[in-house]
């Protein structure tokens, strides 16, 4: 029997304050801005 080890690497970071300010200045709510930034990071 072969033993296989599976690992997972996670990255944690903060939302860029400048990106947040730019998106909020363009009319998004802070929640919408975070959503856009996170989705852009995951793509």
């Amino acid at each position: 029997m072969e033993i296989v080890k599976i690992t997972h690497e996670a990255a944690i970071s903060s939302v860029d304050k400048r990106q947040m300010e730019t998106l909020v200045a363009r009319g998004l709510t802070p929640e919408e801005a975070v959503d856009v930034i996170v989705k852009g990071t995951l793509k």
Side-chain angles (χ1 to χ4, degrees):
M1 175 195 277
E2 184 176 340
I3 298 174
V4 178
K5 181 178 179 182
I6 300 174
T7 62
H8 182 288
E9 183 177 326
I12 299 172
S13 64
S14 299
V15 173
D16 186 302
K17 184 177 179 181
R18 199 172 340 154
Q19 287 179 322
M20 276 283 297
E21 291 171 349
T22 300
L23 292 172
V24 171
R26 294 182 180 192
L28 274 65
T29 66
E31 293 80 15
E32 291 170 328
V34 169
D35 190 48
V36 167
I37 294 167
V38 170
K39 285 181 179 175
T41 301
L42 294 176
K43 282 191 174 187

mmCIF file of all heavy atoms in Angstrom:
data_model
loop_
_atom_site.group_PDB
_atom_site.id
_atom_site.type_symbol
_atom_site.label_atom_id
_atom_site.label_comp_id
_atom_site.label_asym_id
_atom_site.label_seq_id
_atom_site.Cartn_x
_atom_site.Cartn_y
_atom_site.Cartn_z
ATOM 1 N N MET A 1 0.842 -1.175 0.000
ATOM 2 C CA MET A 1 0.000 0.000 0.000
ATOM 3 C C MET A 1 0.892 1.244 0.000
ATOM 4 O O MET A 1 1.830 1.340 0.762
ATOM 5 C CB MET A 1 -0.909 0.013 1.232
ATOM 6 C CG MET A 1 -1.716 1.293 1.312
ATOM 7 S SD MET A 1 -2.484 1.619 2.895
ATOM 8 C CE MET A 1 -3.937 0.668 2.792
ATOM 9 N N GLU A 2 0.572 2.175 -0.869
ATOM 10 C CA GLU A 2 1.323 3.427 -0.953
ATOM 11 C C GLU A 2 0.650 4.493 -0.089
ATOM 12 O O GLU A 2 -0.564 4.654 -0.112
ATOM 13 C CB GLU A 2 1.360 3.908 -2.404
ATOM 14 C CG GLU A 2 2.183 5.140 -2.601
ATOM 15 C CD GLU A 2 2.271 5.531 -4.070
ATOM 16 O OE1 GLU A 2 2.039 4.693 -4.949
ATOM 17 O OE2 GLU A 2 2.562 6.696 -4.309
ATOM 18 N N ILE A 3 1.439 5.220 0.683
ATOM 19 C CA ILE A 3 0.909 6.293 1.526
ATOM 20 C C ILE A 3 1.153 7.622 0.818
ATOM 21 O O ILE A 3 2.269 7.923 0.398
ATOM 22 C CB ILE A 3 1.575 6.298 2.909
ATOM 23 C CG1 ILE A 3 1.270 4.987 3.629
ATOM 24 C CG2 ILE A 3 1.112 7.494 3.724
ATOM 25 C CD1 ILE A 3 1.996 4.824 4.937
ATOM 26 N N VAL A 4 0.094 8.401 0.689
ATOM 27 C CA VAL A 4 0.169 9.693 0.015
ATOM 28 C C VAL A 4 -0.164 10.788 1.019
ATOM 29 O O VAL A 4 -1.139 10.690 1.755
ATOM 30 C CB VAL A 4 -0.831 9.759 -1.169
ATOM 31 C CG1 VAL A 4 -0.768 11.113 -1.829
ATOM 32 C CG2 VAL A 4 -0.549 8.639 -2.152
ATOM 33 N N LYS A 5 0.671 11.800 1.045
ATOM 34 C CA LYS A 5 0.426 12.928 1.952
ATOM 35 C C LYS A 5 -0.089 14.101 1.121
ATOM 36 O O LYS A 5 0.525 14.501 0.138
ATOM 37 C CB LYS A 5 1.716 13.322 2.670
ATOM 38 C CG LYS A 5 1.525 14.464 3.636
ATOM 39 C CD LYS A 5 2.834 14.787 4.352
ATOM 40 C CE LYS A 5 2.622 15.940 5.295
ATOM 41 N NZ LYS A 5 3.870 16.325 5.976
ATOM 42 N N ILE A 6 -1.230 14.628 1.526
ATOM 43 C CA ILE A 6 -1.830 15.764 0.840
ATOM 44 C C ILE A 6 -1.745 16.970 1.759
ATOM 45 O O ILE A 6 -2.100 16.899 2.929
ATOM 46 C CB ILE A 6 -3.302 15.483 0.478
ATOM 47 C CG1 ILE A 6 -3.378 14.254 -0.437
ATOM 48 C CG2 ILE A 6 -3.943 16.694 -0.173
ATOM 49 C CD1 ILE A 6 -4.777 13.805 -0.727
ATOM 50 N N THR A 7 -1.263 18.074 1.215
ATOM 51 C CA THR A 7 -1.162 19.301 2.017
ATOM 52 C C THR A 7 -1.909 20.429 1.328
ATOM 53 O O THR A 7 -2.234 20.349 0.146
ATOM 54 C CB THR A 7 0.305 19.717 2.221
ATOM 55 O OG1 THR A 7 0.877 19.991 0.942
ATOM 56 C CG2 THR A 7 1.097 18.637 2.915
ATOM 57 N N HIS A 8 -2.158 21.460 2.079
ATOM 58 C CA HIS A 8 -2.857 22.625 1.552
ATOM 59 C C HIS A 8 -2.148 23.865 2.049
ATOM 60 O O HIS A 8 -1.820 23.969 3.217
ATOM 61 C CB HIS A 8 -4.312 22.622 2.035
ATOM 62 C CG HIS A 8 -5.116 23.772 1.499
ATOM 63 N ND1 HIS A 8 -4.941 25.064 1.922
ATOM 64 C CD2 HIS A 8 -6.077 23.827 0.558
ATOM 65 C CE1 HIS A 8 -5.773 25.849 1.280
ATOM 66 N NE2 HIS A 8 -6.469 25.123 0.451
ATOM 67 N N GLU A 9 -1.888 24.780 1.164
ATOM 68 C CA GLU A 9 -1.232 26.024 1.544
ATOM 69 C C GLU A 9 -2.232 27.159 1.441
ATOM 70 O O GLU A 9 -2.930 27.291 0.449
ATOM 71 C CB GLU A 9 -0.048 26.299 0.619
ATOM 72 C CG GLU A 9 0.733 27.528 0.998
ATOM 73 C CD GLU A 9 1.934 27.713 0.100
ATOM 74 O OE1 GLU A 9 2.525 26.730 -0.335
ATOM 75 O OE2 GLU A 9 2.256 28.877 -0.171
ATOM 76 N N ALA A 10 -2.323 27.961 2.471
ATOM 77 C CA ALA A 10 -3.255 29.089 2.480
ATOM 78 C C ALA A 10 -2.474 30.390 2.621
ATOM 79 O O ALA A 10 -1.434 30.434 3.261
ATOM 80 C CB ALA A 10 -4.234 28.956 3.637
ATOM 81 N N ALA A 11 -3.005 31.430 2.019
ATOM 82 C CA ALA A 11 -2.401 32.755 2.146
ATOM 83 C C ALA A 11 -3.422 33.686 2.786
ATOM 84 O O ALA A 11 -4.598 33.646 2.458
ATOM 85 C CB ALA A 11 -2.000 33.275 0.773
ATOM 86 N N ILE A 12 -2.947 34.481 3.697
ATOM 87 C CA ILE A 12 -3.817 35.446 4.363
ATOM 88 C C ILE A 12 -3.237 36.829 4.129
ATOM 89 O O ILE A 12 -2.045 37.052 4.315
ATOM 90 C CB ILE A 12 -3.904 35.166 5.883
ATOM 91 C CG1 ILE A 12 -4.476 33.779 6.126
ATOM 92 C CG2 ILE A 12 -4.729 36.229 6.578
ATOM 93 C CD1 ILE A 12 -4.427 33.347 7.571
ATOM 94 N N SER A 13 -4.084 37.739 3.714
ATOM 95 C CA SER A 13 -3.615 39.108 3.511
ATOM 96 C C SER A 13 -4.740 40.073 3.828
ATOM 97 O O SER A 13 -5.886 39.688 3.976
ATOM 98 C CB SER A 13 -3.134 39.304 2.080
ATOM 99 O OG SER A 13 -4.203 39.142 1.177
ATOM 100 N N SER A 14 -4.382 41.330 3.915
ATOM 101 C CA SER A 14 -5.365 42.371 4.198
ATOM 102 C C SER A 14 -5.831 43.003 2.902
ATOM 103 O O SER A 14 -5.130 42.974 1.893
ATOM 104 C CB SER A 14 -4.739 43.451 5.079
ATOM 105 O OG SER A 14 -4.324 42.908 6.300
ATOM 106 N N VAL A 15 -7.012 43.583 2.955
ATOM 107 C CA VAL A 15 -7.524 44.308 1.801
ATOM 108 C C VAL A 15 -6.764 45.628 1.707
ATOM 109 O O VAL A 15 -6.571 46.317 2.712
ATOM 110 C CB VAL A 15 -9.043 44.558 1.963
ATOM 111 C CG1 VAL A 15 -9.565 45.457 0.860
ATOM 112 C CG2 VAL A 15 -9.798 43.235 1.974
ATOM 113 N N ASP A 16 -6.309 45.970 0.528
ATOM 114 C CA ASP A 16 -5.544 47.195 0.308
ATOM 115 C C ASP A 16 -6.425 48.417 0.565
ATOM 116 O O ASP A 16 -7.467 48.588 -0.076
ATOM 117 C CB ASP A 16 -5.012 47.201 -1.122
ATOM 118 C CG ASP A 16 -4.084 48.357 -1.402
ATOM 119 O OD1 ASP A 16 -4.517 49.513 -1.242
ATOM 120 O OD2 ASP A 16 -2.932 48.108 -1.789
ATOM 121 N N LYS A 17 -5.999 49.264 1.484
ATOM 122 C CA LYS A 17 -6.784 50.438 1.870
ATOM 123 C C LYS A 17 -6.988 51.389 0.679
ATOM 124 O O LYS A 17 -8.061 51.952 0.501
ATOM 125 C CB LYS A 17 -6.068 51.174 3.005
ATOM 126 C CG LYS A 17 -6.833 52.344 3.548
ATOM 127 C CD LYS A 17 -6.115 52.992 4.719
ATOM 128 C CE LYS A 17 -6.895 54.187 5.221
ATOM 129 N NZ LYS A 17 -6.210 54.839 6.336
ATOM 130 N N ARG A 18 -5.983 51.528 -0.148
ATOM 131 C CA ARG A 18 -6.086 52.414 -1.317
ATOM 132 C C ARG A 18 -7.127 51.900 -2.310
ATOM 133 O O ARG A 18 -7.910 52.672 -2.859
ATOM 134 C CB ARG A 18 -4.722 52.537 -1.983
ATOM 135 C CG ARG A 18 -4.600 53.737 -2.879
ATOM 136 C CD ARG A 18 -3.191 53.962 -3.381
ATOM 137 N NE ARG A 18 -2.188 53.290 -2.570
ATOM 138 C CZ ARG A 18 -1.003 52.913 -3.002
ATOM 139 N NH1 ARG A 18 -0.655 53.143 -4.239
ATOM 140 N NH2 ARG A 18 -0.148 52.302 -2.227
ATOM 141 N N GLN A 19 -7.144 50.588 -2.516
ATOM 142 C CA GLN A 19 -8.148 50.004 -3.412
ATOM 143 C C GLN A 19 -9.549 50.222 -2.851
ATOM 144 O O GLN A 19 -10.473 50.554 -3.595
ATOM 145 C CB GLN A 19 -7.906 48.505 -3.590
ATOM 146 C CG GLN A 19 -6.718 48.161 -4.432
ATOM 147 C CD GLN A 19 -6.514 46.666 -4.539
ATOM 148 O OE1 GLN A 19 -6.713 45.928 -3.579
ATOM 149 N NE2 GLN A 19 -6.105 46.211 -5.706
ATOM 150 N N MET A 20 -9.680 50.025 -1.536
ATOM 151 C CA MET A 20 -10.980 50.237 -0.876
ATOM 152 C C MET A 20 -11.456 51.675 -1.082
ATOM 153 O O MET A 20 -12.594 51.913 -1.471
ATOM 154 C CB MET A 20 -10.859 49.989 0.630
ATOM 155 C CG MET A 20 -10.971 48.558 1.039
ATOM 156 S SD MET A 20 -12.662 47.968 1.035
ATOM 157 C CE MET A 20 -13.396 48.991 2.279
ATOM 158 N N GLU A 21 -10.572 52.629 -0.807
ATOM 159 C CA GLU A 21 -10.933 54.043 -0.928
ATOM 160 C C GLU A 21 -11.346 54.393 -2.354
ATOM 161 O O GLU A 21 -12.296 55.143 -2.560
ATOM 162 C CB GLU A 21 -9.766 54.927 -0.481
ATOM 163 C CG GLU A 21 -9.505 54.846 1.009
ATOM 164 C CD GLU A 21 -8.217 55.536 1.430
ATOM 165 O OE1 GLU A 21 -7.403 55.903 0.561
ATOM 166 O OE2 GLU A 21 -8.019 55.685 2.657
ATOM 167 N N THR A 22 -10.635 53.841 -3.331
ATOM 168 C CA THR A 22 -10.952 54.115 -4.737
ATOM 169 C C THR A 22 -12.332 53.581 -5.102
ATOM 170 O O THR A 22 -13.142 54.288 -5.723
ATOM 171 C CB THR A 22 -9.891 53.479 -5.657
ATOM 172 O OG1 THR A 22 -8.617 54.038 -5.345
ATOM 173 C CG2 THR A 22 -10.215 53.731 -7.127
ATOM 174 N N LEU A 23 -12.632 52.350 -4.700
ATOM 175 C CA LEU A 23 -13.920 51.754 -5.040
ATOM 176 C C LEU A 23 -15.070 52.444 -4.319
ATOM 177 O O LEU A 23 -16.137 52.665 -4.909
ATOM 178 C CB LEU A 23 -13.904 50.251 -4.732
ATOM 179 C CG LEU A 23 -12.972 49.421 -5.628
ATOM 180 C CD1 LEU A 23 -12.877 47.996 -5.126
ATOM 181 C CD2 LEU A 23 -13.434 49.452 -7.074
ATOM 182 N N VAL A 24 -14.861 52.817 -3.061
ATOM 183 C CA VAL A 24 -15.906 53.537 -2.317
ATOM 184 C C VAL A 24 -16.126 54.921 -2.939
ATOM 185 O O VAL A 24 -17.267 55.374 -3.067
ATOM 186 C CB VAL A 24 -15.546 53.623 -0.813
ATOM 187 C CG1 VAL A 24 -16.500 54.546 -0.077
ATOM 188 C CG2 VAL A 24 -15.589 52.233 -0.186
ATOM 189 N N ALA A 25 -15.061 55.574 -3.374
ATOM 190 C CA ALA A 25 -15.186 56.883 -4.022
ATOM 191 C C ALA A 25 -15.965 56.786 -5.332
ATOM 192 O O ALA A 25 -16.599 57.753 -5.761
ATOM 193 C CB ALA A 25 -13.802 57.470 -4.284
ATOM 194 N N ARG A 26 -15.955 55.609 -5.939
ATOM 195 C CA ARG A 26 -16.693 55.394 -7.188
ATOM 196 C C ARG A 26 -18.114 54.920 -6.953
ATOM 197 O O ARG A 26 -18.807 54.538 -7.891
ATOM 198 C CB ARG A 26 -15.939 54.414 -8.075
ATOM 199 C CG ARG A 26 -14.625 54.984 -8.556
ATOM 200 C CD ARG A 26 -13.910 54.057 -9.465
ATOM 201 N NE ARG A 26 -12.659 54.676 -9.893
ATOM 202 C CZ ARG A 26 -11.912 54.222 -10.864
ATOM 203 N NH1 ARG A 26 -12.267 53.146 -11.524
ATOM 204 N NH2 ARG A 26 -10.800 54.838 -11.191
ATOM 205 N N GLY A 27 -18.538 54.889 -5.675
ATOM 206 C CA GLY A 27 -19.940 54.608 -5.394
ATOM 207 C C GLY A 27 -20.257 53.268 -4.775
ATOM 208 O O GLY A 27 -21.424 52.989 -4.482
ATOM 209 N N LEU A 28 -19.265 52.404 -4.566
ATOM 210 C CA LEU A 28 -19.535 51.111 -3.947
ATOM 211 C C LEU A 28 -19.593 51.274 -2.431
ATOM 212 O O LEU A 28 -18.964 52.164 -1.874
ATOM 213 C CB LEU A 28 -18.438 50.103 -4.293
ATOM 214 C CG LEU A 28 -18.589 49.317 -5.603
ATOM 215 C CD1 LEU A 28 -18.509 50.232 -6.795
ATOM 216 C CD2 LEU A 28 -17.562 48.232 -5.672
ATOM 217 N N THR A 29 -20.350 50.407 -1.791
ATOM 218 C CA THR A 29 -20.332 50.375 -0.332
ATOM 219 C C THR A 29 -19.027 49.680 0.080
ATOM 220 O O THR A 29 -18.420 48.957 -0.728
ATOM 221 C CB THR A 29 -21.526 49.573 0.234
ATOM 222 O OG1 THR A 29 -21.370 48.191 -0.144
ATOM 223 C CG2 THR A 29 -22.850 50.122 -0.245
ATOM 224 N N PRO A 30 -18.594 49.867 1.317
ATOM 225 C CA PRO A 30 -17.381 49.159 1.749
ATOM 226 C C PRO A 30 -17.497 47.637 1.599
ATOM 227 O O PRO A 30 -16.534 46.985 1.203
ATOM 228 C CB PRO A 30 -17.255 49.559 3.222
ATOM 229 C CG PRO A 30 -17.901 50.907 3.294
ATOM 230 C CD PRO A 30 -19.053 50.829 2.329
ATOM 231 N N GLU A 31 -18.671 47.092 1.844
ATOM 232 C CA GLU A 31 -18.869 45.652 1.694
ATOM 233 C C GLU A 31 -18.726 45.217 0.236
ATOM 234 O O GLU A 31 -18.125 44.192 -0.070
ATOM 235 C CB GLU A 31 -20.243 45.230 2.234
ATOM 236 C CG GLU A 31 -20.397 45.392 3.732
ATOM 237 C CD GLU A 31 -20.700 46.839 4.164
ATOM 238 O OE1 GLU A 31 -21.067 47.685 3.322
ATOM 239 O OE2 GLU A 31 -20.531 47.112 5.359
ATOM 240 N N GLU A 32 -19.301 46.003 -0.673
ATOM 241 C CA GLU A 32 -19.188 45.694 -2.103
ATOM 242 C C GLU A 32 -17.734 45.808 -2.554
ATOM 243 O O GLU A 32 -17.261 44.994 -3.355
ATOM 244 C CB GLU A 32 -20.052 46.641 -2.929
ATOM 245 C CG GLU A 32 -21.541 46.435 -2.756
ATOM 246 C CD GLU A 32 -22.374 47.542 -3.391
ATOM 247 O OE1 GLU A 32 -21.919 48.702 -3.439
ATOM 248 O OE2 GLU A 32 -23.498 47.222 -3.830
ATOM 249 N N ALA A 33 -17.033 46.810 -2.043
ATOM 250 C CA ALA A 33 -15.627 47.000 -2.409
ATOM 251 C C ALA A 33 -14.787 45.805 -1.977
ATOM 252 O O ALA A 33 -13.969 45.302 -2.750
ATOM 253 C CB ALA A 33 -15.093 48.293 -1.788
ATOM 254 N N VAL A 34 -14.988 45.325 -0.757
ATOM 255 C CA VAL A 34 -14.257 44.153 -0.281
ATOM 256 C C VAL A 34 -14.573 42.952 -1.153
ATOM 257 O O VAL A 34 -13.679 42.195 -1.544
ATOM 258 C CB VAL A 34 -14.578 43.857 1.203
ATOM 259 C CG1 VAL A 34 -14.041 42.495 1.609
ATOM 260 C CG2 VAL A 34 -14.027 44.940 2.102
ATOM 261 N N ASP A 35 -15.835 42.776 -1.517
ATOM 262 C CA ASP A 35 -16.248 41.664 -2.361
ATOM 263 C C ASP A 35 -15.529 41.705 -3.710
ATOM 264 O O ASP A 35 -15.010 40.691 -4.194
ATOM 265 C CB ASP A 35 -17.760 41.694 -2.551
ATOM 266 C CG ASP A 35 -18.300 40.443 -3.210
ATOM 267 O OD1 ASP A 35 -17.919 39.340 -2.773
ATOM 268 O OD2 ASP A 35 -19.113 40.570 -4.154
ATOM 269 N N VAL A 36 -15.464 42.890 -4.312
ATOM 270 C CA VAL A 36 -14.799 43.043 -5.616
ATOM 271 C C VAL A 36 -13.305 42.723 -5.489
ATOM 272 O O VAL A 36 -12.744 42.014 -6.327
ATOM 273 C CB VAL A 36 -15.002 44.483 -6.162
ATOM 274 C CG1 VAL A 36 -14.086 44.769 -7.339
ATOM 275 C CG2 VAL A 36 -16.455 44.699 -6.545
ATOM 276 N N ILE A 37 -12.666 43.224 -4.448
ATOM 277 C CA ILE A 37 -11.231 43.001 -4.259
ATOM 278 C C ILE A 37 -10.939 41.523 -4.032
ATOM 279 O O ILE A 37 -10.028 40.956 -4.633
ATOM 280 C CB ILE A 37 -10.710 43.862 -3.092
ATOM 281 C CG1 ILE A 37 -10.806 45.347 -3.453
ATOM 282 C CG2 ILE A 37 -9.269 43.490 -2.753
ATOM 283 C CD1 ILE A 37 -10.609 46.299 -2.288
ATOM 284 N N VAL A 38 -11.736 40.884 -3.178
ATOM 285 C CA VAL A 38 -11.514 39.460 -2.883
ATOM 286 C C VAL A 38 -11.733 38.613 -4.132
ATOM 287 O O VAL A 38 -10.934 37.734 -4.441
ATOM 288 C CB VAL A 38 -12.406 38.991 -1.731
ATOM 289 C CG1 VAL A 38 -12.380 37.473 -1.579
ATOM 290 C CG2 VAL A 38 -11.985 39.663 -0.430
ATOM 291 N N LYS A 39 -12.800 38.873 -4.855
ATOM 292 C CA LYS A 39 -13.067 38.091 -6.066
ATOM 293 C C LYS A 39 -11.960 38.293 -7.106
ATOM 294 O O LYS A 39 -11.583 37.363 -7.797
ATOM 295 C CB LYS A 39 -14.425 38.461 -6.656
ATOM 296 C CG LYS A 39 -15.563 37.878 -5.863
ATOM 297 C CD LYS A 39 -16.905 38.236 -6.465
ATOM 298 C CE LYS A 39 -18.028 37.611 -5.640
ATOM 299 N NZ LYS A 39 -19.346 38.023 -6.130
ATOM 300 N N GLY A 40 -11.436 39.523 -7.193
ATOM 301 C CA GLY A 40 -10.331 39.795 -8.127
ATOM 302 C C GLY A 40 -9.059 39.064 -7.720
ATOM 303 O O GLY A 40 -8.297 38.599 -8.572
ATOM 304 N N THR A 41 -8.834 38.931 -6.428
ATOM 305 C CA THR A 41 -7.660 38.238 -5.921
ATOM 306 C C THR A 41 -7.759 36.743 -6.204
ATOM 307 O O THR A 41 -6.757 36.089 -6.527
ATOM 308 C CB THR A 41 -7.502 38.462 -4.403
ATOM 309 O OG1 THR A 41 -7.386 39.863 -4.173
ATOM 310 C CG2 THR A 41 -6.273 37.764 -3.861
ATOM 311 N N LEU A 42 -8.950 36.186 -6.125
ATOM 312 C CA LEU A 42 -9.135 34.749 -6.315
ATOM 313 C C LEU A 42 -9.079 34.321 -7.776
ATOM 314 O O LEU A 42 -8.865 33.152 -8.064
ATOM 315 C CB LEU A 42 -10.468 34.314 -5.704
ATOM 316 C CG LEU A 42 -10.562 34.432 -4.189
ATOM 317 C CD1 LEU A 42 -11.969 34.067 -3.724
ATOM 318 C CD2 LEU A 42 -9.523 33.562 -3.501
ATOM 319 N N LYS A 43 -9.257 35.243 -8.703
ATOM 320 C CA LYS A 43 -9.249 34.870 -10.129
ATOM 321 C C LYS A 43 -7.861 34.640 -10.634
ATOM 322 O O LYS A 43 -6.886 35.022 -10.274
ATOM 323 C CB LYS A 43 -9.926 35.941 -10.964
ATOM 324 C CG LYS A 43 -11.412 35.843 -10.868
ATOM 325 C CD LYS A 43 -12.055 36.713 -11.890
ATOM 326 C CE LYS A 43 -13.548 36.473 -11.874
ATOM 327 N NZ LYS A 43 -14.219 37.154 -12.923
#
